[in-house]
Amino acid sequence: MNSWSTVFLPPIDSRFVFPPLSLKDSASESVVTLPIKDQYSMYVCGITPYDATHLGHAATYLTFDLVNRYLSAMGKKVNFVENVTDVDDPLLERAKRDGVDWEDLAHSQIDLFRGDMSDLHVIPPQSYIGAIEAIPLIVEAIEELQSSDTVYSVDGDLYFQVNADEKFGTRSNLSREKMLTIFAERGGDPSRQGKKDPLDALVWLLNRPGEPSWPSPFGAGRPGWHIECCAIAMAYLPLDSISEHMIDIQGGGSDLLFPHHEMGAAQSRILGKKDYARIYMYAGMIGLDGEKMSKSKGNLVLVSKLINQGHDPMAIRIALLSQKYSLDRMWHESLLKDATHLLRTLALLLSRPEVAPTDWVIQEIINALSNDLDTPRAFAAIELWCEQTTVLASGAPTGSPGELARALDLLLGIAI
Ligand code: 5CA
Ligand code: ZN
């Protein structure tokens, strides 16, 4: 599937020093430093295309865009793959509820999402892959799981046995009781009769009346959710043959850690015969009025709506990046107001011929990002530079507005 338009990454001077990138890993519950390599692989879970793109989605994709930008600024190649869950229960249910064709709904929302990502200056993935186009790969992956005896049938629907992976549970670190509760809340079917373990994950659902289906050796049907991402990642990312892990970063919002990424990691370990991701990294949940922003709750603020109201996409970007990515946080209009103010101030100050010294602020942004994407620290430095430039005395040492503008664009995706 087509992604969106490429983003130009301006170069900055080679005198700036890039510390290795450290990121929070949920599996080890610690901050892990990425080893220095020539290339990295990152899989980020994409949207299920209805009610896109709300600010929660946007915040998550902006987070991983910062990872992509930092590694790219270091001169590394980043292999980045993202999926689109263009067939799954919630999409079909929404289409049915609204009396619209599910494919029309998906196509319109994917188009909207592409436009929003482009407006927000998110670097596109090299491979943007829909679940439907990946069905042959998913079928292959299920066949491989079958040949390792880790799949069984319940009335023709196929399930992956989670206990086939002795590391099951080690990525999300939850008690079994918690796993069962969250599994039921997030699309799982723990109480289905005939399952060997209530947590076993559906990999192929036989066709149900009135639902779309695709032919397969297991009968016509459609893929389960977790196998979708693991099959796409393993097919489209160059798997690291030297490392003990297949890929470097598995990413998404924190609602995906369990069950989605735990199941994906378990299935991948059976398929790839080694650990899946070096780092399992999660963006916190964006909420509105005290509750998580979600399609099911309907408390959404859409990026496209804000842009149509005249808000600058760069201000939306600053507003979402101004707080620490890993925290759950509330959206508030004041964030956008403050971000718009900062954007205007920067535009004004960066057009001056003489500005306060810039090397320190660029290096501080780099250092802050290297430390688990500490954007509040980066923005504190930018604010301080704005103050210094505003009160710059004649004859005082000066910096390069062009260099700072390029650094803001390259590292934070803020194009002024
Ligand atoms: N298609 C699946 C992933 S394979 C999915 O979860 N789609 S989604 O449309 O529901 O979410 C897309 C991405 O946005 C996921 O990474 C999800 O974790 C993230 N997300 C959803 N809601 C929020 C929120 N309120 N705050 C932050 N991120 C969110
Ligand atoms: Zn996914």
Side-chain angles (χ1 to χ4, degrees):
M1 157 171 323
N2 292 332
S3 58
W4 50 95
S5 37
T6 29
V7 171
F8 173 68
L9 296 179
I12 57 168
D13 196 282
S14 59
R15 70 182 174 277
F16 297 105
V17 179
F18 282 80
L21 181 60
S22 297
L23 299 167
K24 168 90 190 299
D25 168 42
S26 287
S28 61
E29 295 176 332
S30 65
V31 174
V32 169
T33 301
L34 277 173
I36 297 293
K37 306 193 287 177
D38 292 336
Q39 50 175 308
Y40 296 88
S41 49
M42 176 164 81
Y43 185 89
V44 179
C45 281
I47 54 161
T48 304
Y50 68 101
D51 280 348
T53 312
H54 64 63
L55 290 176
H57 299 139
T60 290
Y61 298 115
L62 288 174
T63 297
F64 292 95
D65 189 52
L66 290 187
V67 174
N68 198 347
R69 284 172 181 276
Y70 190 90
L71 294 172
S72 302
M74 286 176 97
K76 309 300 182 184
K77 179 167 170 28
V78 184
N79 300 295
F80 167 34
V81 174
E82 184 172 319
N83 70 307
V84 189
T85 309
D86 55 1
V87 62
D88 200 8
D89 297 343
L91 169 67
L92 299 175
E93 283 160 16
R94 173 55 67 91
K96 203 169 165 189
R97 188 200 82 177
D98 294 353
V100 293
D101 179 78
W102 66 274
E103 284 178 290
D104 290 346
L105 175 62
H107 290 152
S108 68
Q109 295 295 298
I110 294 166
D111 270 349
L112 199 60
F113 178 74
R114 288 190 187 108
D116 292 338
M117 290 297 105
S118 227
D119 286 344
L120 291 172
H121 275 193
V122 174
I123 302 172
Q126 283 93 358
S127 306
Y128 189 49
I129 310 295
I132 296 173
E133 65 183 305
I135 285 176
L137 295 172
I138 297 171
V139 166
E140 245 175 71
I142 298 172
E143 285 179 318
E144 266 181 74
L145 291 176
Q146 275 183 325
S147 62
S148 61
D149 267 340
T150 58
V151 166
Y152 62 93
S153 158
V154 177
D155 303 330
D157 298 333
L158 299 184
Y159 282 86
F160 169 70
Q161 257 173 278
V162 291
N163 70 7
D165 173 26
E166 79 267 16
K167 292 197 176 175
F168 182 74
T170 58
R171 278 72 47 154
S172 45
N173 302 306
L174 297 170
S175 67
R176 187 167 167 88
E177 200 189 345
K178 229 115 208 204
M179 283 200 237
L180 284 166
T181 312
I182 302 178
F183 187 60
E185 286 166 4
R186 298 187 184 153
D189 53 0
S191 40
R192 179 163 184 189
Q193 292 297 313
K195 285 177 73 173
K196 293 185 180 173
D197 183 319
L199 290 175
D200 287 346
L202 182 79
V203 290
W204 190 260
L205 181 77
L206 276 191
N207 185 219
R208 303 293 196 262
E211 288 193 357
S213 69
W214 289 264
S216 88
F218 336 111
R222 59 184 168 93
W225 176 30
H226 316 304
I227 192 72
E228 165 195 341
C229 285
C230 114
I232 293 174
M234 292 185 68
Y236 284 92
L237 283 171
L239 302 182
D240 195 329
S241 56
I242 301 162
S243 157
E244 63 202 277
H245 300 96
M246 285 179 245
I247 70 167
D248 291 297
I249 299 164
Q250 162 80 84
S254 60
D255 57 343
L256 296 188
L257 174 55
F258 192 85
H260 188 46
H261 289 177
E262 189 64 62
M263 299 297 181
Q267 290 160 348
S268 304
R269 271 194 87 239
I270 306 297
L271 295 169
K273 299 183 178 57
K274 61 179 181 174
D275 286 346
Y276 179 50
R278 184 186 299 279
I279 293 179
Y280 294 86
M281 178 181 160
Y282 297 95
M285 290 291 110
I286 301 290
L288 185 71
D289 302 329
E291 282 205 275
K292 174 190 160 186
M293 198 175 280
S294 76
K295 300 186 262 209
S296 48
K297 293 210 179 79
N299 58 343
L300 306 177
V301 180
L302 300 183
V303 170
S304 48
K305 199 158 173 204
L306 291 178
I307 295 173
N308 287 339
Q309 285 168 355
H311 294 287
D312 189 320
M314 289 299 102
I316 301 172
R317 189 169 172 117
I318 293 174
L320 290 172
L321 291 178
S322 61
Q323 295 169 303
K324 177 80 182 183
Y325 82 86
S326 48
L327 300 176
D328 291 341
R329 50 212 196 274
M330 287 297 142
W331 173 256
H332 196 273
E333 270 177 24
S334 63
L335 287 167
L336 193 52
K337 198 165 155 249
D338 293 348
T340 304
H341 181 256
L342 177 61
L343 187 65
R344 287 191 186 139
T345 307
L346 278 170
L348 203 68
L349 297 179
L350 286 169
S351 66
R352 287 191 184 177
E354 300 220 317
V355 299
T358 43
D359 278 10
W360 76 269
V361 64
I362 295 172
Q363 189 60 57
E364 177 66 3
I365 295 169
I366 294 171
N367 294 349
L369 291 172
S370 75
N371 184 15
D372 194 27
L373 309 180
D374 190 349
T375 50
R377 180 175 148 198
F379 281 105
I382 294 168
E383 299 267 8
L384 181 58
W385 177 86
C386 289
E387 281 167 34
Q388 290 172 348
T389 299
T390 308
V391 298
L392 189 71
S394 79
T398 56
S400 164
E403 188 79 52
L404 179 55
R406 286 190 292 280
L408 291 174
D409 189 348
L410 173 67
L411 297 163
L412 292 167
I414 303 167
I416 292 172

